[in-house]
Amino acid sequence: EVQLVESGGGLVQAGGSLRLSCAASGFTFDDYAIGWFRQAPGKEREGVSCVSTSDGRTIYADSVKGRFTISSDNAKNTVYLQMNSLKPEDTAVYYCAAVPGWYWGPDMDYWGKGTLVTVSS
């Protein structure tokens, strides 16, 4: 059974940092795109970042470039999202998702249940 389990969310003040983790199981971790998405209250889900577990390529939404860093530890089947200089507008439920190959969009094959990030002003 494929599972993606997010952790690391919480409450942080503006300007602070958090590191989210996405632990994957039930599939061969290499040659997957693992992405982070978020959904704020009353808003549509949006893509945040994505990494290829095959070649390490990454992509970021413009709103998080320079502040967030995505990385993959294939030995641990885990993807991380380091979030620095957090802003109140980063408040959302953060989800990780996976798909074979390289793709970053709403049609990812597998989704986690999410972890809540709250940034206070």
Side-chain angles (χ1 to χ4, degrees):
E1 178 188 5
V2 172
Q3 281 194 318
L4 297 171
V5 180
E6 304 95 336
S7 61
L11 174 63
V12 64
Q13 288 188 332
S17 299
L18 282 175
R19 189 177 79 157
L20 304 184
S21 299
C22 173
S25 61
F27 63 94
T28 304
F29 195 69
D30 57 334
D31 200 17
Y32 265 73
I34 310 289
W36 285 97
F37 298 77
R38 66 186 181 187
Q39 187 166 20
K43 294 188 176 181
E44 293 187 354
R45 187 167 57 193
E46 63 175 354
V48 176
S49 184
C50 191
V51 63
S52 167
T53 62
S54 173
D55 59 16
R57 79 183 89 166
T58 59
I59 190 168
Y60 295 91
D62 287 344
S63 59
V64 306
K65 279 181 183 176
R67 299 189 299 123
F68 291 10
T69 302
I70 193 169
S71 61
S72 174
D73 185 338
N74 288 14
K76 295 182 178 180
N77 283 13
T78 300
V79 168
Y80 303 98
L81 185 68
Q82 178 66 44
M83 306 187 295
N84 299 329
S85 302
L86 283 161
K87 306 174 181 180
E89 51 263 45
D90 294 318
T91 295
V93 177
Y94 283 71
Y95 301 89
C96 72
V99 67
W102 179 247
Y103 169 77
W104 184 42
D107 296 327
M108 307 292 277
D109 284 355
Y110 308 111
W111 291 84
K113 294 183 178 181
T115 186
L116 176 63
V117 171
T118 304
V119 184
S120 63
S121 57

